């Protein structure tokens, strides 16, 4: 099953007013890079939760900026990981 079909099924099941957004190719790459960075810097299970949180945070952002902002977040996580810093947990 392809991504678009999975999103359609999920959208129908959730009862949303419209279909879930299908990410652009740049967004797909940025999402995968971001979740890789999160998974390698913390618990692997943090990646899907971080992706969800990033999606909520970027929901109102112009499409052209989403991949860029996600890339900046990825770079920050990678830099912190490279310096040996553990990701700070927020409560």
């Amino acid at each position: 099953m392809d991504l678009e079909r999975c999103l359609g099924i999920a959208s129908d099941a959730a009862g949303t007013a419209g279909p879930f957004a299908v990410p652009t190719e740049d967004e797909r790459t940025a999402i995968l890079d971001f979740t890789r960075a999160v998974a390698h810097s913390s618990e692997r299970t943090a990646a899907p939760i971080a992706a969800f949180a990033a999606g909520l945070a970027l929901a109102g952002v112009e499409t052209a900026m989403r991949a860029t902002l996600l890339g900046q977040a990825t770079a920050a996580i990678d830099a912190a990981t490279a310096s040996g810093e553990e990701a700070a947990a927020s409560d």
Side-chain angles (χ1 to χ4, degrees):
M1 184 179 325
D2 66 10
L3 175 63
E4 288 78 9
R5 180 69 180 130
C6 285
L7 292 174
I9 291 169
S11 176
D12 290 345
T16 59
F20 284 12
V22 176
T24 65
E25 285 301 317
D26 286 345
E27 289 172 327
R28 289 179 193 198
T29 299
I31 292 164
L32 292 172
D33 288 345
F34 176 71
T35 55
R36 175 213 32 91
V38 171
H40 290 175
S41 68
S42 63
E43 301 170 19
R44 189 163 300 279
T45 58
I49 296 166
F52 177 80
L56 292 176
L58 297 174
V61 174
E62 185 178 326
T63 302
M65 288 298 301
R66 289 192 294 245
T68 299
L69 294 173
L70 206 48
Q72 291 172 354
T74 301
I77 292 168
D78 284 340
T81 301
S83 71
E85 180 180 332
E86 290 187 23
S90 61
D91 295 312

